[in-house]
Amino acid sequence: MATAAIFSSLRRRRSPSLETFLAPIDLSSSEVALIHTLSSLSTDLVSCFYVNLFQRKNSRSLIRKIAVLVVLFDYLIESDCDYVNLSSTAVLCFNECYLLLYRSKILLDYCAQSSKLWLLLQNDAISGHFHDLNQEISTLLDVFPLNDVRLSDDVKEQLVLLQRQSRKAKLYVDKCDDDLRVQLFSFLYEFENDRIPDSVELRSFFVEKLGIRDSNSCRAEIEFLEEQIVNHEGDIEPNASVLNAFVAIMRYCRFLLFGFEDEDEVEFSIGNNHKKMRKGFVTQEIADTFLTVPRDFCCPISWDLMRDPVIISTGQTYDRSSITRWIDEGHITCPKTGQTLLHSKLVPNKALRNLIMQWCIANEIPYDPPESSESSATALSSKAAVEANRATSLLLIQQLAHGSPGGQTVAAREIRLLAKTGKENRAFIAQAGAIPYLHKLLSSSNPVAQENSVTAMLNLSIYDKNKCRVMKEEGCLGSIIEVLRFGLTTEARENAAATLFSLSAVHDYKKQIANEEWAIEALSGLLRIGTLRGKKDAVTALFNLSTHTDNCSRMIEAGAITALVEALGFEEVSEEAAGALAFIVRQQIGAEAVGKEEMAVAGLIGMMRCGTPRGKENAVAALLELCRSGGVAATEKVIKAPALAGLLQMLLFTGTKRARRKAASLARVFQRCEHAALHFGGLGVGYAFAGNSATNRDSSISMSISLPALYPITESKSIGANSIQLSNRKELTVPEYEKSATNFTQVSTTKVTSRVKESNPGWRNTTEQNT
């Protein structure tokens, strides 16, 4: 963390604060301890130094200056002079010297640990940092009280000479390093002009001049550059689009120069399940700490990992899509705190987004920020990056077609990574013919090859035009379903489900997927017994399939209804499960199937009580459709559910716009059933639903009614598009509503006026009834 903080400050040409250094000693301790620490630190710097490929002259010059300070500290320790009672000026200088040495150590370590391409790109800036340190040494020696410290003449002469040299020192930028930097940019310009650089020139530059001699070294260079893009988002030179281009060029050179067989694929073996850690600023602690998505990274509304976190006027952070939907539905309060929003402006939370991206990188979780985000570094691209990636994809597909099994595994993995971001990448990979070869790998006995191929298929299918290519590939859909059923790894099965979800986004493919043998059965099985991620992938796919009316009977036959009802008990997937059930019960056979599930109504009622805003909306919609399409038995089951009246009234006040509309319609169903029970005895619910077909949706009815009100009743309120009179003499809390909902007493005169289509004889135009 110290390295990142210091160089974040150095890049801005500001001196870092003292807190940044995280100094391991107390600078206010005794002079003896301070001198010994200075001696140890400076000696380590000099003894451990080795010459890097870049910044040779600057680093050597700095080490020579530190070596003179080593002479000073060693003399003070070894001499018999009493330096315990140093002057305050001398102590202050030694304190500053410690910070200077610590900064020098970090700069030298930074040069030693950074990638070679990064040092080339930052050549001018890093040279400036060395010059800054030289200036600080000069300033320190100018104020150091030589006369207050008893030193030998030779030590004093060395310090005076160092002082003179530091004063004369000028900024030095290595000409050879700068020439290499210019040549590196020349490759970028060639790609921008639709020309692929000569392979001989690339080999000479990367292998002979930079010393990148194997595939693993290339991969380390790529990973380091990618982490700089993430860690310094929007505040980096060169900018992220240029860095993305160099990443693409490096990836191309990796396979062009070193092929596919020299890969360290031991990490892909079956027995090795631990994740390979990234280098750079993403620490080991990050990857080891989080086994599930951290709570702070989840949107308080949807509880999904935030892709575009934004801050609202109350200071709370939400995912942009969720809070935008909340505001569009007419809410003027903060979902978390209940405070009134002063304005609807959304401010990007860049710090949190960077943390989320770092966590995703450390855990190898795909993270595709929204393309509309103006500061999303990973979405940036350039023509050079596109052309370099296009050239790389041709090499990868050629390897898929004719390479060895190990080479094919590597190629599938790289296509998976290349297709993770950017629609251009997804487009030309599919256009170049990758899908048929990935299809063949789906049946591989190598679990790594199978996992990479199905995940690559998932990433490619995100691009709409590629969905058609996947569906038209003969047998490909069946192979994806086979991976879903019998995949060799958990991730392969989960990603197969996610692929079906992606493909089912096209309406015409929903029926084709549902009719494919074992598709819905496999999704239902994953929803029942899969991991949390697997359940989410399965329920979203089933939700998409449920939106096609022709799939209802197939989903009933495959047991999807039972799986969806069971999913209502899992908070993370209940929202989508309720949404799918709401579509299924629109048809009579679907409503009958759901009505037969013992826990269906109870699960939906539970969601109305404790679910998310969207979950409550889906639950009340499902109950309403169940009443309309499920007949007398289903309606009685809904109407007799405990606390229904209180939950409906709560939704009428606090629900989303759609939830309020559905709750009002269900309240009218509740009202009619109560009237039928009071006035027509044995006819009951059956009479109340005479002529009430499933086609009479809430959107075609305009009513002014009074809900079953809790005793006593005095004042009226109007809510939503449907004018619903709610009358209460005193304010009741939600628990009070629920407690008394089953024992309410209606004492007012109820006036029901409805305007319906003339073609619906089941409804009475005007009815007045005193009770």
Side-chain angles (χ1 to χ4, degrees):
M1 290 304 293
T3 303
I6 289 173
F7 280 91
S8 177
S9 180
L10 285 175
R11 285 185 299 102
R12 296 173 174 83
R13 289 294 188 182
R14 296 197 299 267
S15 297
S17 62
L18 293 181
E19 292 80 1
T20 303
F21 290 95
L22 305 177
I25 68 163
D26 182 5
L27 297 182
S28 63
S29 61
S30 68
E31 288 84 349
V32 175
L34 178 58
I35 297 300
H36 277 81
T37 301
L38 289 172
S39 176
S40 175
L41 178 57
S42 57
T43 301
D44 287 344
L45 283 175
V46 174
S47 62
C48 298
F49 170 73
Y50 65 93
V51 180
N52 293 311
L53 180 62
F54 303 109
Q55 298 294 336
R56 290 182 292 251
K57 185 173 180 178
N58 282 326
S59 56
R60 281 172 174 162
S61 175
L62 179 60
I63 288 297
R64 284 195 295 269
K65 293 178 175 65
I66 295 174
V68 175
L69 297 178
V70 172
V71 174
L72 169 63
F73 303 138
D74 288 347
Y75 176 83
L76 291 175
I77 293 174
E78 295 172 1
S79 66
D80 295 331
C81 65
D82 182 11
Y83 59 86
V84 176
N85 297 318
L86 294 172
S87 66
S88 59
T89 303
V91 173
L92 177 61
C93 287
F94 284 132
N95 287 337
E96 289 296 325
C97 185
Y98 175 79
L99 297 178
L100 188 150
L101 290 173
Y102 195 75
R103 185 184 291 113
S104 300
K105 180 181 186 303
I106 290 178
L107 179 55
L108 292 170
D109 288 345
Y110 186 77
C111 292
Q113 297 170 7
S114 296
S115 78
K116 296 174 181 179
L117 287 183
W118 178 252
L119 290 177
L120 270 187
L121 295 173
Q122 299 295 314
N123 188 41
D124 291 347
I126 295 176
S127 298
H129 301 331
F130 277 103
H131 182 65
D132 291 343
L133 288 174
N134 186 77
Q135 293 298 103
E136 291 181 27
I137 293 174
S138 176
T139 302
L140 179 63
L141 293 176
D142 284 340
V143 299
F144 184 76
L146 281 174
N147 297 327
D148 292 351
V149 182
R150 286 182 290 176
L151 300 173
S152 64
D153 292 340
D154 63 320
V155 174
K156 282 187 178 181
E157 287 175 3
Q158 291 186 61
L159 291 176
V160 171
L161 180 60
L162 176 59
Q163 182 182 30
R164 292 174 182 172
Q165 291 176 342
S166 299
R167 287 175 180 173
K168 296 178 182 179
K170 296 180 180 180
L171 174 65
Y172 175 78
V173 179
D174 193 297
K175 183 67 167 56
C176 294
D177 293 352
D178 206 46
D179 290 342
L180 288 175
R181 182 175 179 274
V182 171
Q183 186 177 1
L184 178 61
F185 273 90
S186 70
F187 296 139
L188 183 144
Y189 298 143
E190 287 197 56
F191 276 109
E192 283 185 343
N193 293 313
D194 297 326
R195 296 193 303 269
I196 297 179
D198 183 71
S199 60
V200 176
E201 291 184 10
L202 291 173
R203 182 176 294 277
S204 172
F205 179 81
F206 287 102
V207 178
E208 298 175 11
K209 295 180 180 178
L210 296 190
I212 300 174
R213 304 187 184 281
D214 54 47
S215 181
N216 290 331
S217 298
C218 284
R219 186 164 57 192
E221 294 283 328
I222 292 170
E223 290 174 352
F224 192 95
L225 291 180
E226 288 176 335
E227 285 165 10
Q228 305 320 301
I229 297 172
V230 171
N231 291 328
H232 305 304
E233 178 185 7
D235 183 21
I236 192 172
E237 285 294 334
N239 62 37
S241 62
V242 175
L243 286 181
N244 274 322
F246 284 123
V247 167
I249 292 172
M250 197 69 236
R251 185 181 290 115
Y252 171 71
C253 293
R254 172 185 173 188
F255 298 110
L256 176 70
L257 301 179
F258 306 112
F260 295 81
E261 300 302 330
D262 191 28
E263 286 284 329
D264 182 15
E265 292 303 323
V266 177
E267 65 186 9
F268 292 155
S269 62
I270 301 175
N272 187 4
N273 293 324
H274 68 274
K275 294 182 175 64
K276 182 177 74 70
M277 291 311 305
R278 302 271 186 172
K279 298 179 181 178
F281 297 143
V282 181
T283 62
Q284 180 76 32
E285 287 79 12
I286 293 177
D288 291 342
T289 300
F290 302 117
L291 300 178
T292 58
V293 178
R295 190 179 185 88
D296 290 340
F297 292 175
C298 296
C299 176
I301 296 177
S302 65
W303 286 110
D304 288 329
L305 181 68
M306 287 187 278
R307 296 176 65 247
D308 190 11
V310 293
I311 304 172
I312 62 175
S313 62
T314 60
Q316 300 295 324
T317 296
Y318 301 91
D319 199 22
R320 183 184 294 273
S321 60
S322 298
I323 193 62
T324 299
R325 186 171 65 228
W326 172 269
I327 294 174
D328 290 345
E329 289 168 350
H331 297 285
I332 59 172
T333 59
C334 173
K336 197 170 184 179
T337 65
Q339 295 175 277
T340 301
L341 299 178
L342 301 178
H343 54 76
S344 59
K345 183 179 180 181
L346 305 178
V347 180
N349 191 335
K350 295 181 180 180
L352 180 58
R353 186 166 62 213
N354 284 343
L355 289 174
I356 293 173
M357 294 175 74
Q358 289 180 30
W359 179 80
C360 289
I361 287 175
N363 289 273
E364 296 184 349
I365 295 174
Y367 182 82
D368 193 5
E371 295 181 1
S372 60
S373 176
E374 71 277 2
S375 62
S376 179
T378 55
L380 293 174
S381 61
S382 67
K383 186 176 180 181
V386 171
E387 294 304 319
N389 284 332
R390 189 190 303 275
T392 303
S393 67
L394 294 176
L395 293 176
L396 296 173
I397 293 169
Q398 184 178 7
Q399 184 67 22
L400 278 178
H402 307 294
S404 65
Q408 290 176 338
T409 300
V410 174
R413 174 181 181 270
E414 292 304 316
I415 289 177
R416 164 187 180 174
L417 297 176
L418 196 59
K420 234 177 22 171
T421 56
K423 66 179 181 180
E424 297 93 348
N425 294 352
R426 298 180 184 118
F428 57 63
I429 289 174
Q431 290 170 0
I435 290 176
Y437 299 114
L438 292 172
H439 173 204
K440 292 180 181 179
L441 276 183
L442 291 176
S443 56
S444 172
S445 59
N446 182 342
V448 178
Q450 184 187 73
E451 181 181 311
N452 284 325
S453 60
V454 74
T455 309
M457 198 79 75
L458 165 62
N459 293 340
L460 290 174
S461 70
I462 296 173
Y463 183 54
D464 287 342
K465 291 183 179 180
N466 288 345
K467 291 179 172 63
C468 178
R469 292 188 173 97
V470 173
M471 295 298 290
K472 287 184 177 180
E473 174 69 20
E474 185 177 357
C476 188
L477 179 59
S479 297
I480 294 172
I481 294 171
E482 285 299 301
V483 175
L484 174 60
R485 297 178 66 201
F486 307 115
L488 301 176
T489 66
T490 300
E491 187 174 349
R493 295 191 292 272
E494 292 170 350
N495 289 343
T499 305
L500 293 183
F501 163 69
S502 177
L503 295 173
S504 63
V506 178
H507 185 74
D508 293 341
Y509 298 153
K510 294 176 182 179
K511 185 175 181 180
Q512 184 178 346
I513 293 172
N515 289 336
E516 190 75 20
E517 189 176 12
W518 299 109
I520 296 180
E521 289 88 345
L523 289 171
S524 302
L526 186 62
L527 180 56
R528 286 195 189 97
I529 63 174
T531 64
L532 177 58
R533 179 183 169 189
K535 288 178 182 291
K536 287 185 175 181
D537 292 331
V539 77
T540 50
L542 289 172
F543 175 84
N544 265 8
L545 297 178
S546 71
T547 60
H548 197 295
T549 56
D550 293 346
N551 289 341
C552 183
S553 58
R554 178 74 181 90
M555 295 186 75
I556 296 171
E557 174 189 335
I561 306 298
T562 302
L564 289 169
V565 170
E566 291 175 359
L568 294 175
F570 294 91
E571 180 181 355
E572 295 82 359
V573 296
S574 58
E575 182 179 305
E576 291 81 2
L581 291 173
F583 279 104
I584 292 172
V585 297
R586 282 177 172 265
Q587 299 186 52
Q588 184 176 352
I589 56 172
E592 291 175 355
V594 173
K596 292 177 183 178
E597 293 291 333
E598 184 177 350
M599 297 303 298
V601 173
L604 293 170
I605 291 291
M607 281 197 64
M608 287 178 62
R609 187 193 312 273
C610 304
T612 64
R614 177 57 65 89
K616 294 177 180 179
E617 175 185 306
N618 290 342
V620 70
L623 289 174
L624 176 62
E625 298 299 337
L626 184 60
C627 290
R628 286 172 167 166
S629 306
V632 174
T635 304
E636 285 184 344
K637 190 178 291 187
V638 174
I639 296 303
K640 292 180 180 179
L644 177 62
L647 292 173
L648 287 176
Q649 294 201 33
M650 180 177 67
L651 275 184
L652 287 169
F653 283 106
T654 64
T656 65
K657 184 177 180 180
R658 177 171 178 259
R660 293 197 300 268
R661 190 175 69 248
K662 296 294 183 181
S665 298
L666 188 55
R668 289 195 292 272
V669 173
F670 195 104
Q671 180 87 44
R672 289 194 298 273
C673 291
E674 289 300 317
H675 279 255
L678 287 173
H679 297 284
F680 299 98
L683 294 176
V685 174
Y687 178 86
F689 275 81
N692 183 20
S693 67
T695 60
N696 297 326
R697 303 296 175 194
D698 53 284
S699 59
S700 64
I701 302 172
S702 176
M703 290 189 175
S704 176
I705 69 172
S706 172
L707 283 178
L710 301 180
Y711 179 84
I713 301 172
T714 57
E715 72 174 84
S716 298
K717 295 182 180 180
S718 178
I719 294 182
N722 303 299
S723 181
I724 303 173
Q725 308 299 321
L726 297 178
S727 303
N728 297 325
R729 179 167 294 166
K730 71 170 185 174
E731 293 286 331
L732 294 181
T733 63
V734 173
E736 289 173 325
Y737 276 139
E738 295 174 356
K739 181 177 180 181
S740 56
T742 56
N743 297 313
F744 62 84
T745 304
Q746 182 174 359
V747 297
S748 66
T749 299
T750 304
K751 183 176 181 179
V752 181
T753 304
S754 63
R755 295 187 298 276
V756 296
K757 296 179 180 179
E758 294 180 359
S759 59
N760 186 1
W763 291 94
R764 302 186 180 186
N765 289 334
T766 305
T767 303
E768 290 192 5
Q769 180 67 52
N770 294 329
T771 60

